């Protein structure tokens, strides 16, 4: 064995790796044997690595009348079978580069695995590690990803609503930036999935389909909306969905929802018709007098423009109502 030279971080990593690799094939070993196997590495450095493995619980010292790291160096060790399978690259990443995943076997790094095998091949922990990107000393991004994945293993659907403090309590790797990256990644994935789901709907040909589409697409609005939000769904000549647009946020009132603002995106989409959508933060979807007044005004404006208002869907927490149906 030769002591590597070059970049300080890489050199330190390689020194650790060489010692660990000499230990992995052995069921048990004496410290002196490892020092000799790792020569010309400094004996004190070998003792240090062994001591760190012992402190982390991966190896245990057998009682033989000597102390690890003494001048005689005859301490006898064995792997701790109760600790589970030892992953050398993971341990090295945590020890050497707690702030980011940047060394270790290329084929084991999440980003490289994604590029080589596709995103579908990555475990939840690896996807999270990529989003976390940079960890903290003693807690790499990969370790942080594994902790979060383990905490949400049986309730992954709850991860989008997890607060920053909750994730920070699970792993120190999730600081403000990492939390924002995780939430942004989840939201982008949710939006992509929503669009893909919508594109499978060839057309909205009934009130039932209109309510089903709106409840699916505006699920966040129905369950999390703190204020009333008014949106439209634009449709083509075959009632196929073109797009959705937010028009206003705040109390719905006929004087505030101006036809110009409502139909501008519909004209831009070359829409043949639209569906009006808004939520009731109270959770009760029963249409109000204001809801009916807004609908009548927009129906009249749509007739002048040649854009039909097919329906107005009001979303509650657990159900929806159709003004057309009523």
């Amino acid at each position: 064995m030769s002591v590597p030279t070059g970049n300080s971080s890489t050199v330190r990593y390689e020194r650790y790796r060489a010692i660990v690799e000499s230990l992995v094939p052995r069921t048990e070993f004496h410290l002196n044997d490892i020092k000799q196997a790792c020569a010309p590495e400094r004996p004190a450095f070998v003792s240090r690595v062994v001591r760190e493995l012992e402190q982390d619980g991966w190896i245990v010292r057998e009682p033989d009348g000597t102390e690890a790291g003494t001048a005689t160096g005859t301490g006898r060790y064995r792997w701790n079978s109760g600790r589970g399978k030892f992953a050398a690259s993971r341990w090295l990443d945590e020890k050497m580069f707690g702030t980011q995943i940047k060394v270790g076997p290329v084929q084991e790094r999440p980003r490289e695995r994604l590029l080589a095998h596709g995103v579908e091949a990555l475990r939840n922990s690896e996807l999270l590690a990529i989003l976390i990107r940079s960890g903290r000393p003693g807690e790499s991004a990969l370790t942080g990803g594994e902790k979060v994945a383990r905490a949400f293993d049986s309730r992954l659907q709850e991860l989008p609503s997890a607060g920053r403090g909750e994730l920070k309590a699970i792993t120190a790797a999730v600081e403000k930036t990492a939390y924002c990256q995780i939430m942004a990644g989840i939201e982008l994935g949710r939006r992509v999935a929503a669009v893909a789901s919508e594109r499978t709907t060839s057309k909205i040909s009934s009130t039932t389909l209109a309510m089903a589409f709106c409840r699916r697409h505006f699920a966040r609005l129905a369950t999390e909306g703190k204020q009333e939000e008014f949106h439209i769904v634009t449709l083509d000549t075959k009632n196929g969905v073109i797009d959705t647009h937010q028009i206003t946020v705040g109390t719905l009132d006929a004087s505030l929802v101006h036809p110009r603002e409502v139909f501008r995106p519909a004209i831009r989409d070359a829409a043949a018709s639209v569906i009006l959508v808004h939520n009731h933060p109270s959770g009760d979807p029963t249409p109000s007098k204001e809801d009916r007044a807004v609908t009548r005004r927009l129906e009249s404006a749509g007739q002048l423009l040649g854009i039909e208002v097919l329906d107005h869907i009001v979303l509650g927490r657990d159900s929806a109502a159709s003004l057309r149906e009523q």
Side-chain angles (χ1 to χ4, degrees):
M1 168 184 167
S2 61
V3 179
T5 59
N7 177 273
S8 60
S9 296
T10 303
V11 167
R12 185 164 174 259
Y13 179 90
E14 290 300 323
R15 291 175 70 191
Y16 263 77
R17 185 181 62 79
I19 296 168
V20 169
E21 286 186 350
S22 71
L23 295 174
V24 169
R26 306 168 189 250
T27 304
E28 61 178 42
F29 56 89
H30 281 76
L31 188 55
N32 258 346
D33 294 337
I34 300 304
K35 290 178 179 178
Q36 292 174 11
C38 295
E41 181 59 79
R42 290 187 297 116
F45 187 76
V46 176
S47 296
R48 171 184 168 180
V49 175
V50 170
R51 187 164 55 250
E52 289 180 10
L53 284 166
E54 182 183 10
Q55 290 171 347
D56 289 347
W58 287 111
I59 61 175
V60 293
R61 186 160 55 89
E62 299 283 12
D64 64 353
T66 62
E67 295 295 328
T70 61
T72 56
T74 57
R76 186 163 60 91
Y77 295 85
R78 61 175 174 79
W79 289 101
N80 183 3
S81 58
R83 183 73 165 78
K85 183 176 176 58
F86 176 69
S89 61
R90 186 177 307 164
W91 185 80
L92 288 167
D93 276 343
E94 292 177 14
K95 284 291 174 185
M96 312 303 301
F97 298 92
T99 57
Q100 53 187 308
I101 303 169
K102 59 183 179 182
V103 294
V106 171
Q107 67 275 14
E108 294 184 17
R109 300 179 206 166
R111 284 190 290 271
E112 281 69 14
R113 277 180 31 80
L114 185 153
L115 293 172
H117 306 293
V119 69
E120 301 86 358
L122 271 62
R123 303 185 304 275
N124 289 340
S125 60
E126 294 173 307
L127 295 173
L128 285 163
I130 291 174
L131 291 170
I132 292 172
R133 187 177 177 182
S134 298
R136 288 294 177 267
E139 186 94 317
S140 70
L142 187 55
T143 300
E146 289 174 344
K147 287 185 176 181
V148 174
R150 188 161 54 247
F152 287 87
D153 182 47
S154 60
R155 54 187 184 101
L156 192 59
Q157 74 282 359
E158 297 178 17
L159 182 57
S161 58
R164 180 182 164 196
E166 181 180 357
L167 296 186
K168 178 71 173 178
I170 294 171
T171 170
V174 180
E175 291 285 3
K176 180 173 65 176
T177 300
Y179 176 77
C180 292
Q181 288 168 173
I182 291 172
M183 292 300 129
I186 291 173
E187 180 59 25
L188 180 60
R190 182 158 55 183
R191 293 183 186 184
V192 170
V195 171
S197 176
E198 290 159 17
R199 292 297 179 263
T200 63
T201 304
S202 58
K203 62 180 180 178
I204 296 177
S205 56
S206 68
T207 296
T208 300
L209 288 175
M211 287 199 290
F213 172 86
C214 291
R215 291 192 66 185
R216 181 175 66 250
H217 181 84
F218 300 102
R220 176 200 60 82
L221 190 61
T223 58
E224 303 173 17
K226 305 301 182 185
Q227 300 183 74
E228 289 193 3
E229 294 185 25
F230 187 82
H231 297 246
I232 66 168
V233 181
T234 56
L235 301 104
D236 59 26
T237 55
K238 295 183 178 180
N239 289 353
V241 174
I242 300 173
D243 206 346
T244 64
H245 304 272
Q246 182 187 73
I247 307 301
T248 65
V249 177
T251 303
L252 193 66
D253 185 279
S255 64
L256 298 178
V257 183
H258 197 284
R260 179 179 60 248
E261 303 305 321
V262 173
F263 288 102
R264 179 182 288 126
I267 293 171
R268 188 168 59 245
D269 287 353
S273 58
V274 297
I275 295 173
L276 313 177
V277 188
H278 85 281
N279 65 309
H280 280 179
S282 66
D284 180 1
T286 303
S288 65
K289 290 188 298 182
E290 290 77 13
D291 296 342
R292 298 179 189 281
V294 167
T295 305
R296 286 193 295 270
R297 185 183 187 201
L298 294 178
E299 282 179 335
S300 298
Q303 289 172 358
L304 292 174
L305 293 169
I307 300 175
E308 183 181 3
V309 174
L310 292 182
D311 206 337
H312 186 168
I313 305 298
V314 183
L315 299 170
R317 186 168 295 107
D318 301 311
S319 59
S322 161
L323 271 78
R324 176 69 66 196
E325 189 175 61
Q326 295 189 7

